[in-house]
Amino acid sequence: MKRILSIQSHVVFGCAGNSAAVFPMRRLGLEVWPVNTVQFSNHTQYRQGWRGMAMPAGHISDLVEGMAGIEVLGQCDAVLSGYLGSAAQGDEILAAVRRIKAANPAALYFCDPVMGHPEKGCIVAPGVSEFLTEQALPVADIVAPNLLELETLTGRHIEDLAGVRSACDQLLSRGVQMVLVKHLGRAAQHPERFEMLLACREGFFHIERPLYDFALQPVGVGDLLSAMMLANLLVGHDPVAAFERTNASVDAVLKATWQAGAYELQLVAAQEALAAPVVRHRAQRLN
């Protein structure tokens, strides 16, 4: 059994951060060790507001120290990081990555570089974007940015697929093994579809899925994507198959959410598609 240390946000109600990632990864048969960077009543895009707090300085390090004390860090196969409550938490995460890689050199660091989207109500603390670009990126084995985050990581303005590929090449040249661009946005080929791109040793691969006409766009889709991609890799699928399965599972969750007229992701309703997705859209290799 593979084991993941998942360090990201947590909401009591709904699906975002660990609340969108832990159940799907467990549904694939992985053991997940969740550590919360923040604990909120609900995600921050509810118009009615939210309550909660970022975990205090030292919280992550203290929990990792506790796990080291019972000698389980060497059993960890991957660290997944997402939303940070502060830039200082990033330093604690990288310290955890170093300790785990020292105990298990085969362990992966999957960095979901959540930088916020103020127009949608998603805001990150000062210094987080700089931490992700300057400190986390050089350590990461896999990164999963959306288009805006890819621009920040590479210092580029990207308008088309060629620009996305060039930016991914830049990250790969810096030592990242795999780049999953979770949303191509304005660089997509077909605005009426949802498109993603995978860059890895095998090449560049493009995939799409339907867009659903939500009254309010669900939150946590990116967290689910990163979790499913890492989980599919760890259970033994090659990068392209993991990409296809992840796309299929997320599409099934979104379809169930849309059919239910819900705002929060319907993970439980679509759980069979997490473990055994029906792949209807194949990844296309780009020349």
Side-chain angles (χ1 to χ4, degrees), residues 109-161:
Y109 175 34
F110 190 121
C111 177
D112 185 345
V114 180
M115 296 182 184
H117 200 311
E119 293 81 3
K120 292 184 177 180
C122 180
I123 300 172
V124 297
V128 167
S129 294
E130 292 78 8
F131 163 78
L132 291 167
T133 302
E134 298 166 11
Q135 296 175 252
L137 183 61
V139 180
D141 298 296
I142 306 171
V143 293
N146 60 29
L147 185 68
L148 296 177
E149 292 158 352
L150 181 63
E151 289 181 320
T152 301
L153 290 174
T154 58
R156 297 166 175 250
H157 179 71
I158 302 170
E159 288 287 348
D160 53 25
L161 201 57

Side-chain angles (χ1 to χ4, degrees), residues 20 23 84 99 120 178:
F23 172 71
L84 302 181
R99 292 188 72 166
K120 292 184 177 180
M178 192 180 304

Side-chain angles (χ1 to χ4, degrees), residues 50-227:
W50 51 274
R51 297 293 183 94
M53 62 179 286
M55 294 297 105
H59 175 72
I60 296 170
S61 296
D62 196 37
L63 295 178
V64 172
E65 185 64 35
M67 289 187 287
I70 59 172
E71 301 181 349
V72 296
L73 294 185
Q75 300 175 23
C76 184
D77 298 287
V79 178
L80 170 62
S81 69
Y83 183 93
L84 302 181
S86 68
Q89 289 181 339
D91 295 329
E92 296 182 58
I93 290 171
L94 293 191
V97 170
R98 287 191 291 269
R99 292 188 72 166
I100 287 168
K101 282 180 172 281
N104 177 13
L108 297 172
Y109 175 34
F110 190 121
C111 177
D112 185 345
V114 180
M115 296 182 184
H117 200 311
E119 293 81 3
K120 292 184 177 180
C122 180
I123 300 172
V124 297
V128 167
S129 294
E130 292 78 8
F131 163 78
L132 291 167
T133 302
E134 298 166 11
Q135 296 175 252
L137 183 61
V139 180
D141 298 296
I142 306 171
V143 293
N146 60 29
L147 185 68
L148 296 177
E149 292 158 352
L150 181 63
E151 289 181 320
T152 301
L153 290 174
T154 58
R156 297 166 175 250
H157 179 71
I158 302 170
E159 288 287 348
D160 53 25
L161 201 57
V164 174
R165 293 177 62 174
S166 181
C168 289
D169 267 332
Q170 181 179 328
L171 297 184
L172 294 172
S173 72
R174 294 183 61 182
V176 175
Q177 298 175 21
M178 192 180 304
V179 183
L180 168 62
V181 185
K182 296 185 296 188
H183 185 193
L184 291 180
R186 63 173 174 273
Q189 296 177 312
H190 306 288
E192 72 281 3
R193 307 285 286 177
F194 191 98
E195 299 180 22
M196 300 189 294
L197 183 134
L198 175 68
C200 55
R201 293 190 190 94
E202 292 79 2
F204 291 93
F205 298 86
H206 175 273
I207 204 165
E208 62 180 38
R209 64 176 186 269
L211 276 174
Y212 298 98
D213 186 22
F214 288 103
L216 287 173
Q217 287 292 327
V219 171
V221 179
D223 305 323
L224 175 61
L225 271 165
S226 293

Side-chain angles (χ1 to χ4, degrees), residues 3-9 17-23 25 31-37 60 67 76 78-82 93 100 110 223 227 230:
R3 298 170 177 87
I4 299 171
L5 177 64
S6 181
I7 310 175
Q8 48 189 316
S9 62
N18 271 332
S19 301
V22 173
F23 172 71
M25 292 191 289
E31 184 175 312
V32 185
W33 306 339
V35 172
N36 301 329
T37 56
I60 296 170
M67 289 187 287
C76 184
V79 178
L80 170 62
S81 69
I93 290 171
I100 287 168
F110 190 121
D223 305 323
L230 177 57

